């Protein structure tokens, strides 16, 4: 695919960098052949070398799990329980406690007063800033821990599952790998190869999220995905109307 | 349609603004524009007819006016003021002059090119917290220097200060916004 005699140097002079580190550098690899590195890329420090905020990562993971949750637990209230329309014994004279129905919450087998009611949602939205900082923290943590690999493209020589498995094994890419590209139409070979492998997944860059990044041991980004991520995240971090955009409705009620 | 004032009251109100209708009249090849004035259904204005000569048949795409549209599009980021490092602008804004490496710590500006010093006033009368955020490097060294500076300035007041390293911030109990900003500007941040 690429001319392997010329190294691929993707050096970008970042204008908005206000960090101690001007830019981070990473190797650019290829899935096509067995050569380890074909070039180098500079990464923006505001996206890839941020001090990871563990509390924000945790908030994001909890949100991703909870906002989709629909609880189907359901109990019947007193009028819903079968029976209990008749007064069990007269009000006075029997010497027993007074009752009007055998299905009152006081009775065994009676209705539940404040029990769960089906289809209770736990939907809430996290503020935009928290979600963005979640992405930058996770990307920085992955990069710092050497779990972030950058690839020039997802083009592959063969469509055999064994090929990609062996490649990941040789390069010591973790058991689970997430391949991210900037398009949602992936090349043919990698689609077929990873189709049967459950722990190797393909994802477009707009689907990137904290939960998936933590679930997979290794994150493989293409150069296009890296630039697209940087562009979008930096736009949100530097936009003048951030307070307006951050006023997300449906915030979590404590 | 009659234009008497009495019938005007009963005319249905057209919500659309003054519109121009293009109509072809006969085979003469002329285009006629008829204006329909629809101000609350009352037409005080006469129906005007403008004839467009045939020489104006072609449509031309012009990009000469794009600059007037472009200047209305809001900027994507707050532009950096054109000032030399350390320069004091007429508004009072000071351009940063410190470079990472000058000190064991570094405090970059926010996205709006302002110092990252904030005061939080909790809903209790005297509970103020001044925080310096985005502190990189040895935050403890900056904390000690700040403590010394503020203790000297507000002696004999005891300065309570906390360095929160994982969150890259320094929190000071009290309202010291101006003094902290002064200190950071003197350092060149």
């Amino acid at each position: 695919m690429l001319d392997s005699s010329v190294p691929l140097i993707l050096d970008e002079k970042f204008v908005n960098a206000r960090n101690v580190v001007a830019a981070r550098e990473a190797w650019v690899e290829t899935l096509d052949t067995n050569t380890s590195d074909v070039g180098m890329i500079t990464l923006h420090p505001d996206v890839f070398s941020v001090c990871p905020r563990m509390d924000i990562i945790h908030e994001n993971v909890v949100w991703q799990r909870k906002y989709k949750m629909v609880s189907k637990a359901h109990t019947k209230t007193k009028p819903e329980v079968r029976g209990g329309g008749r007064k069990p014994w007269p009000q006075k004279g029997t010497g027993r406690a007074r009752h009007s129905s055998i299905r009152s919450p006081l009775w065994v087998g009676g209705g539940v007063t404040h029990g769960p009611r089906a289809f209770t949602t736990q939907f809430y939205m996290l503020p935009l800033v928290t979600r963005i900082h979640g992405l930058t923290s996770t990307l920085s943590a992955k990069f710092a821990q050497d779990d972030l690999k950058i690839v020039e493209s997802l083009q592959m020589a063969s469509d055999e599952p064994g090929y990609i498995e062996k490649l990941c094994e040789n390069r010591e890419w973790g058991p689970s790998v997430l391949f991210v590209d900037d398009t949602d139409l992936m090349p043919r070979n990698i689609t077929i190869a990873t189709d049967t492998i459950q722990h190797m997944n393909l994802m477009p860059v707009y689907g990137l999220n904290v939960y998936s990044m933590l679930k997979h041991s290794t994150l493989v980004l293409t150069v296009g995905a890296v630039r697209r991520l940087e562009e979008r995240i930096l736009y949100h971090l530097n936009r003048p109307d951030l307070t307006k955009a951050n006023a997300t409705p449906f915030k979590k009620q404590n | 349609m009659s234009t008497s004032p009495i019938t005007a009251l009963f005319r249905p109100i057209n919500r659309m603004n003054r519109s121009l209708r293009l109509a072809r009249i006969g085979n003469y090849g002329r285009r006629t524009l008829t204006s329909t004035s629809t101000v609350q259904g009352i037409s005080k204005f006469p129906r005007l007819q403008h004839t467009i000569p045939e020489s104006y048949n072609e449509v031309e795409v012009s990009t000469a006016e794009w600059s007037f549209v472009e200047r209305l599009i809001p900027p994507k980021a707050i532009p950096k003021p054109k000032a030399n490092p350390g320069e004091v602008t007429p508004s009072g804004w000071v351009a940063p002059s410190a470079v990472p490496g000058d000190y064991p710590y570094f405090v970059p500006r926010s996205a709006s090119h302002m110092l990252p010093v904030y005061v939080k006033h909790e809903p209790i009368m005297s509970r103020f917290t001044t925080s310096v955020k985005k502190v990189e490097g040895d935050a403890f060294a900056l904390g000690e220097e700040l403590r010394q500076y503020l203790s000297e300035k507000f002696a004999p007041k005891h300065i309570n200060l906390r360095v929160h390293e994982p969150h890259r911030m320094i929190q000071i109990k009290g309202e010291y916004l101006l003094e902290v900003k002064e200190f950071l500007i003197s350092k060149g941040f």
Side-chain angles (χ1 to χ4, degrees):
Chain A
M1 262 250 46
L2 271 187
D3 181 13
S4 52
S5 62
V6 179
L8 179 76
I9 309 282
L10 299 161
D11 196 6
E12 183 127 342
K13 299 279 174 265
F14 300 116
V15 180
N16 277 334
R18 300 180 296 274
N19 282 21
V20 178
V21 181
R24 288 270 187 234
E25 287 167 350
W27 294 117
V28 178
E29 303 178 44
T30 179
L31 297 175
D32 225 349
T33 60
N34 278 323
T35 49
S36 56
D37 308 318
V38 295
M40 214 180 68
I41 186 173
T42 46
L43 303 173
H44 201 290
D46 280 340
V47 179
F48 290 99
S49 77
V50 155
C51 191
R53 283 281 299 263
M54 292 300 146
D55 58 329
I56 291 178
I57 294 173
H58 175 258
E59 267 183 39
N60 272 273
V61 170
V62 165
W63 169 70
Q64 282 192 256
R65 270 196 270 130
K66 275 191 168 174
Y67 84 95
K68 297 181 252 197
M69 223 193 269
V70 174
S71 170
K72 285 176 273 189
H74 184 73
T75 53
K76 289 183 161 62
T77 52
K78 173 190 164 179
E80 289 170 0
V81 180
R82 193 159 171 87
R86 177 175 56 207
K87 193 167 172 65
W89 46 77
Q91 180 80 358
K92 299 183 80 59
T94 57
R96 304 185 67 177
R98 51 192 179 181
H99 289 290
S100 70
S101 131
I102 58 163
R103 299 301 186 209
S104 96
L106 273 55
W107 285 65
V108 169
V112 179
T113 323
H114 292 302
R117 298 294 282 171
F119 311 120
T120 314
T121 49
Q122 298 221 41
F123 176 80
Y124 68 99
M125 283 307 289
L126 220 54
L128 180 72
V129 165
T130 313
R131 283 179 270 146
I132 289 164
H133 286 147
L135 284 174
T136 56
S137 289
T138 322
L139 284 167
S140 307
K142 281 279 181 201
F143 182 65
Q145 292 174 337
D146 213 18
D147 286 328
L148 189 97
K149 310 289 175 190
I150 298 171
V151 168
E152 40 99 8
S153 80
L154 294 183
Q155 298 287 349
M156 254 171 39
S158 139
D159 63 358
E160 298 278 312
Y163 176 82
I164 189 96
E165 277 188 335
K166 205 151 193 187
L167 189 143
C168 293
E169 212 182 290
N170 289 342
R171 296 185 192 185
E172 290 183 358
W173 288 3
S176 48
V177 187
L178 182 65
F179 296 94
V180 180
D181 200 359
D182 60 342
T183 63
D184 41 19
L185 215 58
M186 303 293 177
R188 178 191 176 275
N189 284 351
I190 193 161
T191 318
I192 295 166
T194 54
D195 193 36
T196 49
I197 308 170
Q198 301 245 356
H199 49 271
M200 292 191 187
N201 297 304
L202 305 175
M203 191 183 264
V205 82
Y206 57 76
L208 195 63
N209 58 89
V210 173
Y211 187 91
S212 295
M213 284 200 271
L214 295 177
K215 184 104 177 100
H216 296 81
S217 328
T218 310
L219 178 66
V220 177
L221 298 168
T222 58
V223 169
V226 166
R227 291 298 179 224
R228 176 80 182 146
L229 261 177
E230 280 178 350
E231 186 229 309
R232 295 310 302 160
I233 290 175
L234 288 170
Y235 162 66
H236 286 294
L237 289 174
N238 291 304
R239 61 191 289 187
D241 59 346
L242 187 60
T243 21
K244 208 170 163 186
N246 196 35
T248 328
F250 307 114
K251 290 231 181 91
K252 186 169 211 275
Q253 306 294 323
N254 283 321
Chain B
M1 219 195 252
S2 62
T3 50
S4 70
I6 300 156
T7 52
L9 293 167
F10 298 100
R11 201 170 296 130
I13 294 165
N14 193 337
R15 295 274 173 228
M16 282 173 66
N17 291 328
R18 183 181 272 269
S19 57
L20 296 168
R21 268 187 290 114
L22 214 65
R24 245 179 195 262
I25 294 177
N27 300 326
Y28 302 115
R30 276 182 182 180
R31 283 180 294 142
T32 314
L33 287 176
T34 320
S35 65
T36 59
S37 67
T38 53
V39 183
Q40 295 292 330
I42 302 160
S43 65
K44 283 186 187 160
F45 310 102
R47 291 283 176 85
L48 298 170
Q49 290 223 328
H50 316 271
T51 46
I52 301 167
E54 260 197 36
S55 59
Y56 288 175
N57 257 345
E58 283 128 26
V59 174
E60 186 194 308
V61 173
S62 166
T63 52
E65 295 85 22
W66 176 246
S67 59
F68 296 104
V69 176
E70 211 173 17
R71 67 185 194 182
L72 295 170
I73 298 168
K76 284 201 168 159
I78 297 169
K80 194 171 179 188
K82 294 187 185 77
N84 296 319
E87 190 187 312
V88 184
T89 56
S91 64
W93 185 82
V94 183
S97 61
V99 160
D102 288 352
Y103 306 99
Y105 44 82
F106 184 71
V107 184
R109 294 283 175 107
S110 69
S112 47
H113 310 289
M114 297 205 283
L115 280 165
V117 189
Y118 311 97
V119 171
K120 210 199 289 189
H121 184 191
E122 276 155 81
I124 287 161
M125 217 152 80
S126 58
R127 197 169 287 172
F128 292 88
T129 314
T130 315
S131 43
V132 181
K133 296 196 170 179
K134 299 158 99 74
V135 182
E136 293 177 24
D138 191 359
F140 293 97
L142 177 59
E144 280 315 304
E145 285 193 35
L146 258 175
R147 189 198 297 273
Q148 214 176 2
Y149 178 80
L150 292 170
S151 304
E152 280 167 20
K153 207 153 194 195
F154 293 95
K157 184 153 177 70
H158 178 70
I159 302 293
N160 285 310
L161 197 147
R162 160 173 106 138
V163 174
H164 198 309
E165 210 186 3
H167 288 198
R168 290 171 53 196
M169 70 166 162
I170 297 168
Q171 284 176 319
I172 312 162
K173 188 175 178 184
E175 197 187 0
Y176 302 109
L177 184 75
L178 297 170
E179 288 78 23
V180 172
K181 279 193 174 177
E182 215 180 282
F183 174 79
L184 290 173
I185 284 171
S186 71
K187 292 272 174 182
F189 291 122

